[in-house]
């Protein structure tokens, strides 16, 4: 129904309806948000009050985070009642032991990570922790080291039974947490050390998310996990330190699903309850400082040391751990090991007093969110029509990589205009350090006064939001990201089909895109062709070319080990449907005459019946495939017979980035700098396209030349490193910093200066 209405209604009516819908939905969201705020502030528990058995949407900053019952950690369920391993857990461990008995050897390629667990008593928690690690640790890459601090229960006997795949260090006396961790680190074989408390249960993906984060950025020295209490409340989303050395757990006892805790941040420190550290940095610093023995402040001190060497400490919310805080050391800060928390604070302040005085703020809960994120530059708000789905369309993949580039120097906030209820994709953004907000929040974010620029992606988004943003704050720099010049694509579609509705839509979109270009501070186009077309309509605008972005990948199989033709595209995009119809009806039958056994693999999301009906022995319709890398690595030729379109064709660049030769049209190759018979084969007429496909498929020398030249071209032109420089240059051309950015940074500098002055006064 929605599709039929979209095709039949005039574009002007659809445009008017869209703007009315955005306004009404925004008003409803604000009204409902206000009502929920009032209800929650008066004691409503949303999850208990909700009458249907469904998951509530992720908490937004526009609503008050759920206030969980104020229960002390020591009031959590007693271990004797709730943490005894079940029969299933016991059998799982025994199966793991038997399976790993023969295979648990030193990895041939070197150990990637060493998980170090210091323990003292509480064997039931140690077993529970190890049981959770069984699903997370690949013993072909990693190792587990348990340092037993002279436990008085059955810990030693239990660990003896796990000796085939858990390395155990047994101490004659309890040397404390600091010494035990250093012992484990000295015995570790891994490139990375992962310190883990025994009173934890790691969650799926825990270790992989830590490793992927640190291996993605050479400037990161340590990565910490989100810590969650067994009752579901947040324990820590990274840690901050005040000027007096007092440390705090950001988000303590709040809702772990609140968006402000679910994006990667650079922090003062992360708890060693779950902390990954580069081993070389750990040893450069001499390990955990022995002055903090037996425990407390050793992890904070280590993180300060890592930052003093020029590396970052990062909180990664995708890595999650259930933590039974206080099980070993207790919670009373006046007794037992816990008393060292205050004793060691004074030692910490003495060691780091200069850093604290110059970089840290006075103890003020109102500044917790400022302290919890060490990247204190201004925000860039990035608006797009929908939540990004980078595995389904090239536009989303491009925007995801743009956001990752912005993270390096700014604080990007991604705001989808219409829909954001896609937790899978939102978490992917959070993992890369990108905050997500609802459209209802954007006015509040602007009014907070720390927004430098707004990127409006696509014509409809710019048309809906640009005037309002200008009214809210005229200092905000506005960038209109065209993605592709839509009216050009529609003009080409009209020329091909003769359908008048496309001519009407092209005319209206030309007016809309031209107006957005004229009223923006900068216009981003993906190709020089798009730039030239739009520049003729808006010559006064400032243009930058920000192309699609393609990281280089493994090149897969050799020519002889590959087979089949491949097409990938999002079938909500009409040019892709037209290209497939053209290829299957006019090209593929003639190719089959010359290459009888060839198959055509058809992949893409939102595939309609008019496309799936082609499924046969020779045309393999796969539909949406989450991981297309195996197809790029095993098919012999990628075909993209586009007859109309605009912008840069992301799947062509993606295919070449895997070393897969491409046969396409002039429209398909547009803006990529591809030369016929050098980086690709380019043909427009059916007969020429048929010949090009057959040549690329059968000529080994030609295939190799196209693969090598195309791969080199992507590396020189479209990698994240290359395009990131283009993005940063474009932002610098808006103004070196801009009035708003200066104001924000000066405010923070003043806070730090005042804090330092007060500290100097107190010292005197």
């Amino acid at each position: 129904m929605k599709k039929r209405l979209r095709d039949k209604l005039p574009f002007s009516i659809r445009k008017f309806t869209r703007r009315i819908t955005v306004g009404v939905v925004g008003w409803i969201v604000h009204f409902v948000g206000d009502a929920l705020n009032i209800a929650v502030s008066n004691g409503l528990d949303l999850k208990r009050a909700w009458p249907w058995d469904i998951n509530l949407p992720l908490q937004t900053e526009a609503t008050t985070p759920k206030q969980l019952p104020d229960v002390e950690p020591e009031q959590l369920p007693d271990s004797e009642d709730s943490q005894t391993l079940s029969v299933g857990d016991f059998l799982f461990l025994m199966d793991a032991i038997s399976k790993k008995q023969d295979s648990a050897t030193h990895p041939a390629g070197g150990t990637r990570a060493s998980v170090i667990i210091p323990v003292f008593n509480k064997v039931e928690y140690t077993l529970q922790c190890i049981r959770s690690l069984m699903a997370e640790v690949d013993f072909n890459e990693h190792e587990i080291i348990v340092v037993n601090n002279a436990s008085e229960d059955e810990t030693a006997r239990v660990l003896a039974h796990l000796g085939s795949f858990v390395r155990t260090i047994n101490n004659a006396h309890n040397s404390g947490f600091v010494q035990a961790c250093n012992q484990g680190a000295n015995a570790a074989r891994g490139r990375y050390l992962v310190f883990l408390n025994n009173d934890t249960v790691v969650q799926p993906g825990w270790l992989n998310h830590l490793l992927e984060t640190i291996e993605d950025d050479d400037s990161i020295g340590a990565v910490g996990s989100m810590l969650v209490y067994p009752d579901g409340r947040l324990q820590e989303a990274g840690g901050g330190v005040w000027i007096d050395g007092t440390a705090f757990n950001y988000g303590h006892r709040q809702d772990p699903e609140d968006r402000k805790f679910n994006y990667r941040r650079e922090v003062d420190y992360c708890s060693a309850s779950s902390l990954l550290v580069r081993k070389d940095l750990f040893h450069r610093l001499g390990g955990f400082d022995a002055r903090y023995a037996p425990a407390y402040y050793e992890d904070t001190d280590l993180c300060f040391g890592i930052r003093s060497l020029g590396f970052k400490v990062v909180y990664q919310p995708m890595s999650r751990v259930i933590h039974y805080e206080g099980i070993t050391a207790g919670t009373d800060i006046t007794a037992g090991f816990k008393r060292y928390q205050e004793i060691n604070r004074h030692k910490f302040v003495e060691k780091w007093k200069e850093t604290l005085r110059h970089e840290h703020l006075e103890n003020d809960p109102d500044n917790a969110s400022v302290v919890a994120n060490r990247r204190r530059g201004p925000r860039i708000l990035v608006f797009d029509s929908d939540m990004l789905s980078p595995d389904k369309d090239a536009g989303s993949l491009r925007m995801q990589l743009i956001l990752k580039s912005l993270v390096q120097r700014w604080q990007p906030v991604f705001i989808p205009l219409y829909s954001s209820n896609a937790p899978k994709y939102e978490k992917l953004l959070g993992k890369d350090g990108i905050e997500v907000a609802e459209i209802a929040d954007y006015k509040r974010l602007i009014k907070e006064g720390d927004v430098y620029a707004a990127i409006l992606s696509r014509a409809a988004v710019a048309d809906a939001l640009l005037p309002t943003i200008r009214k809210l704050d005229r200092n905000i720099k506005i960038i209109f990201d065209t993605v592709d010049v839509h009216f050009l694509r529609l003009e080409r579609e009209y020329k091909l089909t003769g359908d008048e509705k496309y001519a009407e839509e092209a005319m209206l979109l030309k007016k809309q895109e031209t107006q957005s270009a004229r009223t923006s501070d900068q216009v981003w186009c993906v190709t020089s062709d798009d730039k030239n077309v739009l520049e003729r309509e808006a010559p006064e605008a400032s243009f930058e070319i920000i192309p699609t972005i393609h990281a280089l990948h493994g090149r897969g199989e050799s020519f002889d080990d590959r087979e089949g033709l491949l097409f990938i595209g999002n079938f909500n995009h009409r040019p892709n449907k037209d290209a497939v119809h053209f290829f299957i009806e006019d090209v593929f039958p003639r190719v089959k005459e010359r290459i009888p056994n060839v198959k055509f693999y058809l992949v893409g999301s939102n595939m309609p019946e008019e496309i799936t009906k082609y499924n046969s022995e020779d045309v393999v319709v796969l539909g949406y495939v989450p991981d297309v890398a195996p197809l790029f690595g095993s098919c012999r030729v990628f075909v993209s017979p586009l007859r109309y379109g605009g912008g840069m064709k992301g799947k062509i660049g993606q295919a070449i980035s895997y070393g897969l030769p491409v046969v396409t049209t002039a429209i398909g190759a547009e803006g990529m700098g591809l030369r016929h018979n050098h980086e690709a084969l380019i043909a427009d007429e059916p007969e020429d396209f048929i010949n090009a496909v057959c040549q690329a498929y059968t000529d080994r020398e030609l295939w190799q030349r196209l693969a090598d030249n195309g791969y080199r071209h992507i590396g020189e032109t479209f990698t994240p490193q290359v395009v990131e420089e283009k993005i940063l240059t474009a932002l610098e051309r808006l103004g070196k910093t801009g009035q708003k950015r200066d104001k924000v940074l000066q405010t923070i500098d003043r806070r730090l200066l005042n804090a330092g002055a007060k500290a100097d006064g107190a010292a005197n």
Side-chain angles (χ1 to χ4, degrees):
M1 174 65 76
K2 179 180 177 183
K3 180 180 182 301
R4 288 199 296 271
L5 286 174
R6 186 176 64 227
D7 291 341
K8 290 181 180 180
L9 286 175
F11 175 74
S12 57
I13 298 297
R14 301 205 312 269
K15 176 183 172 184
F16 175 76
T17 303
R18 180 188 295 125
R19 298 188 75 167
I20 292 295
T21 301
V22 171
V24 171
V25 170
W27 180 86
I28 290 172
V29 169
H30 275 297
F31 177 80
V32 172
D34 290 342
L36 286 176
N37 281 342
I38 294 169
V40 170
S41 67
N42 283 277
L44 174 66
D45 186 331
L46 285 178
K47 290 190 176 179
R48 291 184 180 180
W50 201 258
W52 298 284
D53 186 20
I54 62 175
N55 291 325
L56 289 172
L58 288 174
Q59 191 73 255
T60 72
E61 289 203 22
T63 62
T64 302
K66 181 181 64 177
Q67 295 300 311
L68 294 157
D70 191 18
V71 180
E72 292 298 324
E74 60 265 33
Q75 292 178 269
L76 297 174
D78 184 75
S79 64
E80 301 301 326
D81 297 327
S82 62
Q83 298 311 315
T84 303
L85 289 180
S86 68
V87 172
D89 291 322
F90 174 77
L91 292 175
F92 180 91
L93 272 175
M94 292 304 101
D95 286 343
I97 291 171
S98 63
K99 289 176 182 177
K100 299 178 187 298
Q101 202 83 35
D102 299 324
S103 62
T105 58
H106 181 48
T111 305
R112 189 177 173 199
S114 299
V115 180
I116 300 167
I117 308 172
V119 304
F120 174 68
N121 293 336
K122 300 295 180 181
V123 65
E124 65 276 13
Y125 280 91
T126 302
L127 264 177
Q128 179 181 245
C129 177
I130 293 174
R131 188 252 186 263
S132 71
L133 287 171
M134 290 299 102
E136 292 298 306
V137 174
D138 180 351
F139 285 86
N140 292 314
E141 288 190 308
H142 314 303
E143 65 176 354
I144 297 174
I145 299 172
V146 177
V147 183
N148 178 18
N149 255 337
S151 296
E152 298 163 350
D153 59 7
E154 300 300 319
T155 295
R157 287 185 61 193
V158 168
L159 292 176
H161 288 288
L162 306 179
S164 59
F165 61 97
V166 173
R167 297 175 60 198
T168 301
I169 299 172
N170 287 304
N171 288 332
H173 64 277
N174 185 355
S175 58
F177 182 85
V178 169
Q179 180 59 30
C181 286
N182 287 340
Q183 278 184 277
N186 289 333
R189 304 182 182 120
R191 298 191 300 278
Y192 304 103
L193 308 176
V194 188
F195 298 101
L196 183 69
N197 278 18
N198 69 323
D199 57 345
T200 59
V201 177
V202 302
Q203 301 301 290
W206 160 76
L207 182 56
N208 282 338
H209 290 308
L210 293 176
L211 288 166
E212 288 169 3
T213 301
I214 203 164
E215 291 178 344
D216 187 51
D217 187 345
D218 291 339
S219 69
I220 296 175
V223 188
S225 306
M226 174 187 280
L227 305 180
V228 181
Y229 285 123
D231 66 355
R233 294 179 303 162
L234 182 61
Q235 180 191 331
E236 178 189 307
V241 180
W242 302 110
I243 195 170
D244 65 355
T246 302
F248 69 93
N249 297 337
Y250 184 52
H252 190 231
R253 300 188 189 177
Q254 296 187 44
D255 186 352
E257 299 308 323
D258 192 315
R259 278 193 169 115
K260 64 187 174 187
F261 307 128
N262 279 280
Y263 64 97
R264 190 182 83 187
R265 284 176 284 105
E266 188 178 340
V267 295
D268 288 341
Y269 81 99
C270 287
S271 168
S273 297
S274 176
L275 180 67
L276 182 147
V277 183
R278 294 183 188 273
K279 184 168 72 173
D280 59 336
L281 294 183
F282 187 81
H283 289 311
R284 277 177 65 184
L285 292 166
F288 285 122
D289 193 332
R291 78 180 71 189
Y292 302 106
Y296 292 105
Y297 271 89
E298 72 289 328
D299 46 10
T300 314
D301 174 84
L302 178 72
C303 291
F304 269 54
I306 288 170
R307 292 193 292 104
S308 73
L309 296 176
F311 291 84
K312 295 182 288 191
V313 177
V314 167
Y315 156 72
Q316 177 52 266
M318 289 286 280
S319 174
R320 295 195 176 196
V321 169
I322 306 299
H323 184 209
Y324 296 80
E325 185 184 35
I327 289 300
T328 301
T331 57
D332 183 355
I333 63 171
T334 66
F337 276 170
K338 195 72 174 178
R339 74 184 188 278
Y340 287 99
Q341 187 168 320
E342 183 61 18
I343 293 171
N344 286 347
R345 181 180 71 83
H346 294 286
K347 297 178 181 178
F348 175 80
V349 170
E350 178 62 27
K351 180 176 179 179
W352 295 102
K353 57 186 175 184
E354 291 300 319
T355 299
L356 291 169
R357 182 164 65 240
H358 291 103
E359 297 183 16
H360 293 258
L361 298 177
E362 287 189 339
N363 194 328
D364 182 353
D366 290 340
N367 286 332
S369 61
V370 175
V371 175
N373 190 351
R374 292 189 62 83
R375 184 171 294 283
R376 293 166 187 162
R379 289 179 170 132
I380 292 182
L381 306 185
V382 181
F383 298 86
D384 208 334
S385 55
D386 295 288
M387 176 55 67
L388 303 182
S389 50
D391 57 341
K392 294 183 178 180
D393 69 273
S396 288
L397 181 60
R398 171 180 174 270
M399 179 53 75
Q400 181 194 41
L401 293 170
I402 287 174
L403 288 164
K404 287 184 70 173
S405 296
L406 293 176
V407 165
Q408 302 305 314
R409 303 192 188 183
W410 308 82
Q411 290 192 67
V413 181
F414 179 73
I415 307 173
L417 186 58
Y418 296 118
S419 171
S420 63
N421 189 19
K424 167 188 170 183
Y425 295 114
E426 184 169 328
K427 287 181 178 180
L428 286 176
L429 291 176
K431 182 178 180 180
D432 290 331
I434 299 147
E435 183 180 0
V436 177
E438 295 284 355
I439 188 63
D441 278 346
Y442 87 94
K443 291 183 180 180
R444 175 183 60 79
L445 291 170
I446 289 173
K447 289 176 181 177
E448 286 177 355
D450 61 348
V451 177
Y452 170 58
I455 299 174
L456 309 179
S457 181
R458 306 176 200 274
V461 174
D463 185 60
L465 295 176
L466 196 155
T468 304
I469 294 173
R470 280 282 189 235
K471 289 178 183 177
L472 288 169
D473 189 339
R474 299 192 66 83
N475 289 320
I476 292 176
K477 306 296 184 182
I478 294 181
I479 299 168
F480 170 35
D481 179 19
T482 62
V483 182
D484 64 26
V485 176
H486 291 51
F487 76 78
L488 175 62
R489 169 164 49 85
L490 288 162
E491 286 176 347
R492 289 170 172 174
E493 188 171 11
Y494 167 65
K495 184 177 179 180
L496 180 68
T497 65
D499 193 327
E500 290 291 340
K501 70 180 180 183
Y502 298 133
E504 177 200 356
E505 194 168 346
M507 182 177 64
L508 291 169
L509 267 172
K510 178 185 282 190
K511 181 179 179 181
Q512 183 186 86
E513 290 179 304
T514 301
Q515 177 65 16
S516 294
R518 287 172 176 163
T519 55
S520 298
D521 296 295
Q522 195 174 86
V523 181
W524 287 2
C525 295
V526 294
T527 69
S528 57
D529 302 81
D530 278 6
K531 171 183 176 292
N532 294 337
V533 168
L534 192 54
E535 195 170 31
R536 286 197 293 269
E537 306 299 325
E540 68 274 33
S542 174
F543 289 88
E544 298 288 342
I545 296 175
I546 307 297
T548 56
I549 306 170
H550 301 286
L552 293 175
H553 303 279
R555 297 181 60 172
E557 304 291 343
S558 63
F559 175 86
D560 291 323
D561 293 326
R562 292 172 177 261
E563 65 86 20
L565 305 171
L566 176 64
F567 177 90
I568 299 178
N570 185 331
F571 286 91
N572 274 341
H573 196 50
R574 288 197 302 269
N576 287 334
K577 287 186 281 190
D578 175 80
V580 169
H581 288 312
F582 166 65
F583 185 80
I584 291 179
E585 294 169 9
D586 296 345
V587 175
F588 192 53
R590 299 280 302 282
V591 171
K592 287 285 293 180
E593 291 175 4
R594 302 192 202 180
I595 313 173
N597 295 325
V598 70
K599 292 182 182 295
F600 179 42
Y601 296 95
L602 196 50
V603 177
S605 57
N606 306 301
M607 198 174 280
E609 185 179 356
E610 64 184 280
I611 300 298
T612 58
K613 71 178 183 181
Y614 288 124
N615 191 43
S616 65
E617 184 179 351
D618 294 325
V619 179
V620 183
V621 177
L622 297 173
Y624 167 65
V625 176
D627 182 9
V628 293
L631 289 166
F632 283 129
S634 61
C635 290
R636 189 175 289 180
V637 174
F638 187 88
V639 295
S640 184
L642 293 164
R643 299 194 295 171
Y644 69 93
M648 191 174 291
K649 317 310 178 293
K651 290 303 179 186
I652 292 177
Q654 190 177 12
I656 299 174
S657 74
Y658 280 88
L660 178 60
V662 169
V663 178
T664 188
T665 60
I667 293 290
E670 189 175 55
M672 295 194 70
L674 302 176
R675 295 167 293 177
H676 175 62
N677 207 35
H678 196 265
E679 291 91 11
L681 295 185
I682 302 170
D684 289 321
E685 297 302 321
E687 190 66 32
D688 294 336
F689 204 93
I690 292 164
N691 290 334
V693 171
C694 292
Q695 287 174 344
Y697 199 86
T698 58
D699 188 332
R700 182 184 291 101
E701 183 179 340
L702 171 64
W703 184 94
Q704 194 64 54
R705 183 172 74 248
L706 295 174
D708 292 343
N709 291 340
Y711 196 78
R712 187 181 306 111
H713 181 66
I714 292 292
E716 294 172 351
T717 315
F718 300 116
T719 59
Q721 295 82 2
V722 172
V723 180
E724 182 179 315
E725 286 303 313
K726 296 179 184 290
I727 293 168
L728 296 176
T729 299
L731 289 169
E732 287 172 2
R733 285 175 181 162
L734 281 171
K736 287 295 183 182
T737 55
Q739 296 177 0
K740 180 63 61 174
R741 184 182 179 191
D742 282 346
K743 182 179 178 182
V744 172
L745 292 177
Q746 287 169 7
T747 299
I748 291 172
D749 287 343
R750 279 199 300 272
R751 287 179 186 170
L752 294 172
L753 185 63
N754 291 338
K758 289 181 180 179
D760 288 336
N764 294 329

